Amino acid sequence: MNGVVLISGNGSNLQSIIDKASSIDLTICCVISNKTDAFGLKRATKVGIPCEAIDEALFDSKHSFDQELIKVINNYQAEVIILAGYMRILSAHFISKYFGKILNIHPSLLPKFKGLNTHQRAIDALEKKHGASVHFVTEELDGGPVIAQDFVRIDSTDNAQTLAKKVLDKEHALYPKTIHWYTQGRLKLINKNTVTLDNKTL
Ligand code: GRF
């Protein structure tokens, strides 16, 4: 399956997807960043994957930026849109256009800690467990139905950085596995609250 990966920064999740692409039936047809200096663009270039940087500073509205994004995605005939550290909120128009085709990974055990700074917030809330969630993207920010999660223990010595590292290690295994379910046609977003794997509600 042809998929586009959207990034904004380091791209370690992108790297894990690149490394496993052939075993998860995915052809990364393009990597798109909203930041021209995203390190993930270098990772993709190194292995010959086409890259597009759409400089968000050049667009005066979310709508015009997303129109450009749609144009690029359609040029590459992407069948799945994989958000991997893409730090920009998508427009309602974009989300409805690709409903059921957009996956995201979020660094918390959703529905806990939607939004930013999830690691520090989990520590501050005295959580014992933290982790990552892969979900379908719907209009509610970090609110689409969860497909899969993995967790780590929060130790008394953890800070936001050590916790982020532990969670990222889990993400690098969890995301490719979940993407594979999608490329195999086993995952379906039925409506904004319901996802199925092999026709069974998750
Ligand atoms: C990850 O923690 C991901 O869950 C979140 O942003 C971070 C991106 O890291 N959405 P990287 O760019 O993949 O290294």
Side-chain angles (χ1 to χ4, degrees):
M1 183 181 286
N2 257 349
V4 67
V5 182
L6 270 53
I7 60 162
S8 298
N10 180 32
S12 69
N13 275 289
L14 166 67
Q15 188 67 57
S16 74
I17 299 165
I18 290 173
D19 294 343
K20 299 195 176 100
S22 61
S23 62
I24 60 170
D25 304 318
L26 179 74
T27 301
I28 304 173
C29 51
C30 183
V31 171
I32 304 175
S33 173
N34 60 321
K35 303 278 183 195
T36 53
D37 60 353
F39 183 68
L41 292 171
K42 294 200 171 67
R43 296 178 190 269
T45 306
K46 197 170 167 196
V47 292
I49 296 171
C51 288
E52 304 267 356
I54 307 176
D55 185 356
E56 59 187 8
L58 303 178
F59 295 82
D60 56 8
S61 71
K62 195 196 276 189
H63 180 75
S64 59
F65 180 89
D66 278 5
Q67 282 300 120
E68 181 63 21
L69 193 56
I70 289 169
K71 210 166 86 189
V72 175
I73 289 171
N74 290 348
N75 270 345
Y76 286 95
Q77 302 184 324
E79 298 158 89
V80 59
I81 297 161
I82 298 163
L83 309 186
Y86 183 67
M87 302 302 288
R88 206 185 139 90
I89 295 174
L90 293 162
S91 62
H93 173 67
F94 184 97
I95 292 170
S96 73
K97 185 171 174 62
Y98 297 110
F99 191 78
K101 295 184 174 173
I102 315 171
L103 300 173
N104 184 39
I105 188 156
H106 181 76
S108 80
L109 295 173
L110 290 171
K112 287 185 173 173
F113 309 117
K114 296 175 180 178
L116 299 174
N117 303 321
T118 59
H119 309 302
Q120 189 58 54
R121 286 161 61 209
I123 292 170
D124 292 346
L126 305 178
E127 295 285 337
K128 298 264 179 286
K129 270 174 30 177
H130 185 46
S133 308
V134 176
H135 65 96
F136 273 111
V137 173
T138 62
E139 266 194 51
E140 192 198 332
L141 184 65
D142 300 327
V146 170
I147 300 164
Q149 296 182 314
D150 202 356
F151 72 91
V152 298
R153 245 189 31 205
I154 303 183
D155 297 317
S156 56
T157 51
D158 270 323
N159 57 39
Q161 287 71 37
T162 59
L163 194 52
K165 163 85 178 69
K166 289 203 287 198
V167 172
L168 264 182
D169 285 346
K170 294 289 184 185
E171 292 184 31
H172 297 160
L174 181 68
Y175 210 8
K177 180 180 85 175
T178 317
I179 293 166
H180 197 196
W181 292 344
Y182 189 89
T183 61
Q184 291 172 311
R186 298 170 60 192
L187 272 180
K188 299 264 180 283
L189 179 61
I190 306 298
N191 59 48
K192 67 186 173 68
N193 299 313
T194 313
V195 56
T196 60
L197 174 65
D198 298 334
N199 300 316
K200 292 193 192 79
T201 301
L202 291 176

